Amino acid sequence: MFQTIEIYQETGERKNATYRAIRGRQQAEGKTAGQALDSLEKILASAGESANSLIILQRFQADAFFTENQQQRLQNLMSQFHDTLANDSTLSPDERRELEQLVDTEWIAAIARTANMVAQTSQSQRSL
C-alpha cells in the first residue's frame, strides 16, 4: 500500500526557505524539497519502514484531470488535517472522507496525466 508523503515550503521569518516532508506523524526538513525528502527517507529507513518509492510531483496547476476547485479544496483540507495533528484532534468523518476522496482523485489524475504524456511521447517517436 502506498502512503502519501507531502512536501511543502514553510513560511516564516527565515531568510532561507525551508521545506518539510511529512508522512503520517513522521517528518523531516531540508533546504530544498529534495533534501527534506532524503531526510525523511533516512528516518523511515532507520525505523525499518523504507521501501521502494514512487514519487509523483504535482505542480499544482489546474488541468483537465484535477481542477482548480479540487486543488483548492484539497489544500484547505490538508491544512486543516495538519492543524488537527498539531492539536492532537481529528477531522470530522465527513471531512476525512472528502479528503480521502480528493487524494484518490488526485492519484487517478496523476495516472491519467502520466498515461497522456506516455501516449504523446509514443506518438512523437513514431513521427520521427
Side-chain angles (χ1 to χ4, degrees):
M1 180 175 148
F2 287 106
Q3 290 196 358
T4 301
I5 295 175
E6 180 182 0
I7 301 174
Y8 66 93
Q9 184 176 357
E10 291 190 317
T11 56
E13 297 178 14
R14 299 180 189 174
K15 291 182 180 180
N16 297 325
T18 301
Y19 291 83
R20 184 165 302 276
I22 300 173
R23 189 191 88 179
R25 294 188 181 272
Q26 296 169 313
Q27 54 184 293
E29 64 179 47
K31 292 180 182 179
T32 66
Q35 284 180 348
L37 179 61
D38 289 344
S39 295
L40 181 60
E41 287 290 325
K42 286 178 185 174
I43 291 168
L44 296 173
S46 68
E49 297 182 30
S50 70
N52 292 333
S53 299
L54 170 66
I55 298 172
I56 298 174
L57 179 62
Q58 169 65 321
R59 300 262 185 229
F60 295 107
Q61 295 175 345
D63 61 17
F65 305 105
F66 202 71
T67 68
E68 186 173 344
N69 287 340
Q70 289 171 310
Q71 288 176 343
Q72 288 175 354
R73 183 61 180 151
L74 177 60
Q75 288 175 353
N76 289 340
L77 286 170
M78 286 302 296
S79 178
Q80 289 177 12
F81 176 71
H82 290 297
D83 289 345
T84 64
L85 287 177
N87 296 320
D88 203 28
S89 61
T90 60
L91 293 173
S92 73
D94 287 341
E95 289 171 325
R96 179 85 182 195
R97 195 169 18 262
E98 183 182 5
L99 177 58
E100 289 171 359
Q101 288 172 346
L102 282 168
V103 168
D104 288 346
T105 301
E106 187 179 34
W107 272 108
I108 292 166
I111 292 165
R113 198 175 293 114
T114 302
N116 188 46
M117 286 188 292
V118 168
Q120 288 177 359
T121 302
S122 296
Q123 186 178 19
S124 295
Q125 289 176 347
R126 283 192 297 259
S127 298
L128 296 178

